Amino acid sequence: MNNLVIKRVAEVAEVQQAAAYRKQYKPLVLTGLAGSSKPVFFAALDVLAGEKGSIVIITPSREEIRTYRRELNYIYPNLPMQELYPISLPRVSADTQSLEVQAGRASALRLMQGEERGIVFITAEAWQQKQLQQSCALAEKLNLAVGQEAEQQTVIERLVKIGYERTEQVDALGQFCVRGEILDVYPLNCKAPVRIEWFDQEIDAIRSFNLDNQRALDNLEEIAIAPIMLEASDAWTASVFDCCSESTTIILDEPVHVFATLEKLAKENNAYTEELFTPEALAAECEQTPIVAVSALGHNYMKGCAKLNVPVRPIAPYNKNIDLLTKELKNSLKAGITPIIMVTSAYKAKGLAENLHNYGLPGVYAEEALAPGSVNVMFGELDHGFRFVKESWELITENDIYGVQKRKRFYSKNSGQKIQYFSDIKSGDYVVHSVYGIGRYVGVEKMLANGIYRDFLLIMYAGNDKLYIPVEHVSMLNKYVGNEGYI
């Protein structure tokens, strides 16, 4: 990872102590961390662990996920991020669940199990729910490989049995079609559809392909197709921790808030106790699992585990007071502290580094290394700055200097209940967006974004204006209450 800030944080004594605990596969309680110091601490731990496994972050709610996504996307621009969506209670049969939700869960589980490295977010609600036993999940998969003897008709029958729909052409998740010796299928657990070719009774080739132009992408040696419908409905007894590989780093964010949410959910869902773990059971499991519990303040959870306080403090906001900023930068340099200013574009960073000279400050644009004795200006997208008290550097962000730029939010007396999951709405429903107002939900569309196909919610407005929202941002919508129509 070529990130100057993360490299510096990895040198902090407490980070190295935490990494030593992690190597022993023992649970650890960290206190003192808050705001943007959390994701950089996680990333530094990951660097010291060799960047081998996935990172799982358990949060109180989806509100925290949005912040983590933004900052971790800057730190890990190439890693996939996925939420392990909770299942609606009571747990319905798999064929009636949203395919997008199931695909999201399959993607998250693939990352957690170590099949691919990435970042998984899990809310307290999803953590509380019992998961499918991994042995059962593996047994239910349809495994095919190049060179394997497998009658095409037998494969077709198996696909139908595990819930896949036969169509004229594959254009969505959960579908398959047959053209002579070729079978196309879009597995629930794959990023792209797959084309399987036979020569007589033997599988001759397996290739992923582009859904839009039908062109081949990658040659595959084997494929494991996850089921949509599960025959073993009584196998939902595993915990989230059971679904993680040994190399996965599990973060429990703000345990006090997480367990308060668990207690609340337990009371609300007391009719479905067989499908949920109790807060007490999860607390006990935390003490037997090599997790890292992170919080700003101390707490009474995981009493028997090793504890480590991290001396870090946030940067006080400057509220656009440039004179105060320059004064404190000069004081920091005199004290032997190297300031790092992080702004949201390389262009602005270069300009600010040059402009600092007008204030009598040595400014440099930091790209590959930090220059001690100067104000280092760099590109980055962390929300707020911090200083590890024992270190000779500090981080100041653009938000610390100018304040967080908030967009005007849309308020309406017709805003109803907040929508938590896109399966809560159906095509044609009116919704209220927190910024753009009342519109009509059309459905989910798959679009190419940053080289990856992602699912977006399509909202229509007057004049055929369209708004596309990533499915993970569905909580920006509220249900519409009233009969005004849409604007």
Side-chain angles (χ1 to χ4, degrees):
M1 178 188 296
N2 187 23
N3 187 300
L4 297 179
V5 173
I6 304 304
K7 287 181 179 179
R8 283 302 181 106
V9 175
E11 297 170 357
V12 174
E14 288 76 17
V15 178
Q16 296 188 356
Q17 290 177 44
Y21 279 113
R22 289 284 302 132
K23 289 181 180 179
Q24 300 174 26
Y25 291 97
K26 294 181 179 179
L28 175 65
V29 176
L30 290 175
T31 57
L33 292 170
S36 298
S37 67
K38 287 183 182 180
V40 297
F41 198 102
F42 305 160
L45 275 181
D46 184 44
V47 168
L48 294 175
E51 302 180 68
K52 295 179 180 178
S54 294
I55 300 173
V56 169
I57 304 177
I58 301 172
T59 66
S61 68
R62 303 189 82 239
E63 295 297 321
E64 294 80 12
I65 292 177
R66 279 199 291 271
T67 300
Y68 273 125
R69 272 186 180 274
R70 182 173 60 252
E71 297 189 293
L72 287 170
N73 188 60
Y74 153 66
I75 298 171
Y76 294 102
N78 299 318
L79 278 190
M81 298 186 189
Q82 180 64 54
E83 180 183 349
L84 180 69
Y85 300 118
I87 304 169
S88 298
L89 295 177
R91 183 179 289 117
V92 295
S93 59
D95 57 328
T96 63
Q97 297 174 19
S98 163
L99 282 176
E100 287 81 7
V101 168
Q102 291 188 72
R105 285 181 53 81
S107 176
L109 289 168
R110 187 171 64 250
L111 299 177
M112 294 162 62
Q113 292 159 11
E115 295 180 27
E116 182 183 358
R117 176 169 152 82
I119 299 173
V120 177
F121 303 102
I122 304 176
T123 61
E125 181 183 5
W127 184 33
Q128 193 175 38
Q129 294 181 348
K130 295 180 180 179
Q131 307 295 321
L132 181 67
Q133 292 178 12
Q134 293 310 297
S135 58
C136 175
L138 290 172
E140 294 282 354
K141 284 184 177 180
L142 173 57
N143 298 291
L144 301 172
V146 174
Q148 177 182 342
E149 292 281 344
E151 290 188 9
Q152 188 186 72
Q153 184 58 37
T154 302
V155 173
I156 292 171
E157 291 173 359
R158 177 64 177 157
L159 285 172
V160 172
K161 190 174 183 179
I162 61 176
Y164 284 77
E165 176 189 8
R166 184 166 184 172
T167 59
E168 292 296 322
Q169 179 175 321
V170 170
D171 55 20
L173 281 166
Q175 295 180 347
F176 76 93
C177 69
V178 181
R179 299 186 306 278
E181 299 297 303
I182 297 174
L183 184 149
D184 290 349
V185 59
Y186 200 156
L188 203 62
N189 56 324
C190 293
K191 296 179 180 178
V194 173
R195 180 161 294 149
I196 305 168
E197 300 178 17
W198 270 265
F199 180 78
D200 197 15
Q201 301 298 315
E202 182 179 302
I203 295 177
D204 187 53
I206 302 176
R207 300 183 181 89
S208 60
F209 66 92
N210 186 294
L211 198 63
D212 294 329
N213 57 28
Q214 300 290 302
R215 292 181 180 175
L217 297 174
D218 297 304
N219 291 320
L220 307 174
E221 290 299 318
E222 58 185 5
I223 183 72
I225 301 173
I228 295 174
M229 293 189 299
L230 295 168
E231 297 175 3
S233 59
D234 58 345
W236 295 80
T237 58
S239 72
V240 160
F241 296 158
D242 294 330
C243 300
C244 294
S245 71
E246 192 175 79
S247 63
T248 300
T249 298
I250 306 173
I251 308 292
L252 177 60
D253 184 35
E254 297 295 342
V256 171
H257 296 159
V258 169
F259 279 98
T261 304
L262 290 174
E263 296 285 356
K264 178 175 177 289
L265 290 169
K267 293 177 181 178
E268 293 175 353
N269 298 313
N270 58 7
Y272 312 116
T273 54
E274 292 184 0
E275 300 181 36
L276 304 173
F277 289 104
T278 65
E280 294 77 15
L282 293 174
E285 190 177 23
C286 286
E287 297 193 5
Q288 305 299 322
T289 306
I291 71 167
V292 181
V294 182
S295 62
L297 303 174
H299 52 81
N300 293 323
Y301 296 99
M302 302 171 63
K303 294 180 181 179
C305 301
K307 294 178 173 60
L308 180 63
N309 182 64
V310 184
V312 59
R313 62 173 178 81
I315 297 296
Y318 290 96
N319 297 317
K320 302 180 183 178
N321 189 335
I322 305 303
D323 290 337
L324 176 61
L325 172 65
T326 54
K327 179 182 177 180
E328 293 200 1
L329 288 174
K330 290 176 181 178
N331 289 338
S332 293
L333 290 172
K334 287 180 182 179
I337 299 170
T338 301
I340 304 169
I341 298 180
M342 181 179 285
V343 294
T344 53
S345 77
Y347 175 80
K348 286 195 288 187
K350 292 174 182 177
L352 178 57
E354 294 178 3
N355 194 43
L356 285 172
H357 294 280
N358 297 328
Y359 294 91
L361 287 163
V364 297
Y365 174 62
E367 191 170 16
E368 296 183 357
L370 296 179
S374 298
V375 179
N376 291 255
V377 189
M378 62 182 295
F379 159 74
E381 296 182 353
L382 296 177
D383 285 351
H384 297 290
F386 47 82
R387 183 188 168 204
F388 288 91
V389 177
K390 299 177 184 178
E391 301 302 308
S392 60
W393 59 273
E394 62 184 357
L395 176 70
I396 303 168
T397 70
E398 187 173 332
N399 286 344
D400 297 325
I401 300 172
Y402 302 108
V404 179
Q405 301 298 312
K406 294 184 178 180
R407 299 182 68 177
K408 183 179 179 182
R409 298 180 70 84
F410 183 90
Y411 295 95
S412 170
K413 65 181 181 181
N414 299 97
S415 296
Q417 180 182 358
K418 183 180 288 293
I419 299 168
Q420 293 296 331
Y421 308 102
F422 58 87
S423 56
D424 292 341
I425 50 177
K426 61 181 184 296
S427 179
D429 285 351
Y430 290 104
V431 294
V432 182
H433 189 276
S434 58
V435 175
Y436 297 101
I438 305 168
R440 181 167 54 85
Y441 170 64
V442 175
V444 177
E445 289 195 6
K446 190 174 294 292
M447 300 174 63
L448 187 64
N450 298 323
I452 300 173
Y453 280 96
R454 299 174 58 195
D455 290 326
F456 289 80
L457 307 176
L458 172 58
I459 311 297
M460 292 294 299
Y461 289 85
N464 291 322
D465 288 341
K466 297 180 180 179
L467 174 65
Y468 291 95
I469 306 171
V471 293
E472 61 267 21
H473 295 166
V474 68
S475 59
M476 296 183 72
L477 300 176
N478 289 66
K479 291 186 177 180
Y480 174 80
V481 180
N483 56 2
E484 298 175 2
Y486 66 100
I487 58 175

